[in-house]
Amino acid sequence: MARPARGAEVLEMAREMVARATTIEQLRQAQAVVLPLDFGLSMEQTAAAIGRRRSGPVGCATAFWPARSSAMASASAAVAGGGRT
């Protein structure tokens, strides 16, 4: 069974971003939040709608969680560098 979509706390911001996005990446990020929450799309359906592979919507949606995104970036840098931070 699929997990329920999360992100209600950033949904309004994502809706606004859909309306004022100036790049395709901004639009995809916003749609990755809005489509599952407003329309009940699965990750596969959302990926197809925004033109990404299945894991793409997850990566796009994390743009709306700045603290989480920066922590993930730090962890990725540590792994890429082969050492601890």
Side-chain angles (χ1 to χ4, degrees):
M1 183 168 156
R3 293 184 293 177
R6 297 180 312 189
E9 63 275 9
V10 295
L11 183 57
E12 190 57 39
M13 183 173 55
R15 287 179 184 141
E16 291 173 15
M17 179 61 81
V18 167
R20 60 185 172 84
T22 57
T23 68
I24 190 66
E25 194 58 32
Q26 290 174 341
L27 181 60
R28 284 178 173 152
Q29 289 171 347
Q31 287 175 328
V33 175
V34 172
L35 293 175
L37 293 171
D38 277 350
F39 301 103
L41 270 63
S42 68
M43 292 306 294
E44 290 84 5
Q45 292 167 325
T46 301
I50 67 173
R52 295 290 176 135
R53 64 182 191 275
R54 186 187 183 283
S55 61
V58 175
C60 287
T62 58
F64 285 91
W65 290 277
R68 183 175 172 200
S69 294
S70 63
M72 290 176 69
S74 297
S76 294
V79 170
R84 296 181 186 177
T85 57

